[in-house]
Amino acid sequence: MKLDDTATLLSAKPIPRGSSGLWWALLGVTAFSFTVPFTRIAVEDGQMSPLFVGAGRAVTAAFLAAAALFFTRQAVPRGTQWIQVAVVAGGAVAGFPLLTSFALTAVPASHGAVVIAALPAATAVAAVLRTGERPVRSFWIAAAVGAIAALGFALIQGGGFGAFHGSDLMLFAAVVVCAVGYAEGGILSRSLGSWQTISWALVLASPLMILLTGVAVAQQPPAGTAGQWAAFAYLSVASMFLGFIAWYRGLSIGPMAQVSQVQLAQPVMTICWAAIILQESIGWPTVLGGVAVIGCALLAVRARNTGKPGSPRDGLGSARPAADHRPASP
């Protein structure tokens, strides 16, 4: 396999630079921003168990992913790529959906946005630890201020943490495992392809998720209103599959630590959707907080990477992948 060959059967153009990664990431974040409100709807009233919602949506998405991989004749991951796929599967496919589904049975959507607002900063840290990216100081200042603004905004809207309980621990755990999955997926998508990365992760996790779904159905046969099933369908198709295609595409274009900060806008969107869909109240503190969060996100993504580039094992710090990786498909 030559350096300029593609990971798929289609010819690949060089990965574009500039702002295209930000737009792809924003598209993915928009899809993700509905996840918390729709998860809250799906598990509301206990007609669908959180285990069914968390595992079942991954099973549905896995069927879509398997069909896409089969009909487009994608190359199978090889060697250590399977380890990377497993990391993505553990964080983004299994960990985050299951943990948030259980947590949102006890807390409202706006409260869930409190902890999830820390995900961009966590992803940036994971990316730096994994890839060796070294953003300039202004990036870290903007990212830190943005994270604080996002957390403060969500706290005000959600009425504060109150007593620290198990649901908060599950949300914090969801942030950690998802950040690791995002960072590893961004790396892998440069050699395997963006939508191929999440697709193989869904396929790899499918045996476990099918088992968990079966257990959930046996314990409590799912039932719900048309709205709850529609929410489950969105979680399965958009949150678990289509959104990840756009998100990992953005991360693969990079720089990952900067592109990840686009997700600072997610808590703003999430609470806006919660206000519209779940009819939660929204006021001037929400508007002002949203402006602050988006402003900090824009400052962060505009900061340029300087210093030592990414290590050769991932190639994210340079304009082209390292010699031992294949460039990503568009």
Side-chain angles (χ1 to χ4, degrees):
M1 181 70 69
K2 296 180 181 179
L3 179 62
D4 289 333
D5 287 342
T6 177
T8 70
L9 297 180
L10 301 176
S11 61
K13 297 179 181 179
I15 295 175
R17 293 280 154 179
S19 61
S20 59
L22 304 182
W23 288 111
W24 278 106
L26 182 60
L27 181 61
V29 164
T30 302
F32 295 151
S33 67
F34 289 94
T35 300
V36 171
F38 283 168
T39 301
R40 178 65 178 170
I41 291 173
V43 300
E44 193 174 17
D45 300 330
Q47 296 191 69
M48 291 186 188
S49 70
L51 181 60
F52 173 79
V53 173
R57 72 200 208 191
V59 173
T60 304
F63 279 109
L64 297 175
L69 291 169
F70 176 78
F71 287 112
T72 57
R73 302 172 61 193
Q74 298 300 312
V76 177
R78 49 186 193 176
T80 58
Q81 286 183 329
W82 280 114
I83 298 176
Q84 295 178 283
V85 170
V87 173
V88 177
V93 175
F96 187 82
L98 288 171
L99 290 166
T100 54
S101 293
F102 278 98
L104 289 168
T105 60
V107 296
S110 56
H111 186 91
V114 172
V115 178
I116 295 174
L119 184 55
T123 303
V125 172
V128 168
L129 293 176
R130 177 64 177 87
T131 71
E133 290 181 4
R134 295 188 178 181
V136 293
R137 182 177 300 178
S138 60
F139 163 82
W140 288 113
I141 294 174
V145 174
I148 293 171
L151 287 169
F153 158 64
L155 279 169
I156 292 172
Q157 178 66 24
F161 275 116
F164 196 78
H165 46 76
S167 294
D168 292 316
L169 290 175
M170 285 188 284
L171 289 170
F172 274 116
V175 167
V176 173
V177 298
C178 192
V180 174
Y182 279 177
E184 198 64 41
I187 295 169
L188 181 59
S189 63
R190 293 197 59 125
S191 60
L192 192 62
S194 54
W195 72 268
Q196 295 91 333
T197 294
I198 187 60
S199 295
W200 283 113
L202 286 163
V203 170
L204 182 63
S206 61
L208 174 61
M209 305 311 278
I210 290 172
L211 176 62
L212 293 177
T213 302
V215 171
V217 172
Q219 291 178 343
Q220 178 186 337
T225 64
Q228 288 176 309
W229 282 109
F232 178 80
Y234 181 90
L235 294 172
S236 301
V237 177
S239 294
M240 289 298 299
F241 188 55
L242 298 180
F244 275 111
I245 293 175
W247 175 243
Y248 280 139
R249 176 59 174 167
L251 288 180
S252 71
I253 294 172
M256 188 190 301
Q258 294 174 15
V259 170
S260 67
Q261 298 309 291
V262 174
Q263 204 171 21
L264 281 168
Q266 184 171 331
V268 179
M269 297 186 206
T270 295
I271 295 180
C272 287
W273 305 142
I276 295 171
I277 300 171
L278 303 178
Q279 298 182 348
E280 296 184 4
S281 61
I282 185 170
W284 282 111
T286 299
V287 175
L288 295 176
V291 171
V293 171
I294 294 175
C296 291
L298 290 174
L299 290 175
V301 299
R302 287 174 64 87
R304 295 180 179 275
N305 267 1
T306 60
K308 187 177 180 179
S311 59
R313 69 179 181 274
D314 56 67
L316 289 176
S318 59
R320 297 184 61 86
D324 60 340
H325 283 282
R326 295 166 292 173
S329 302

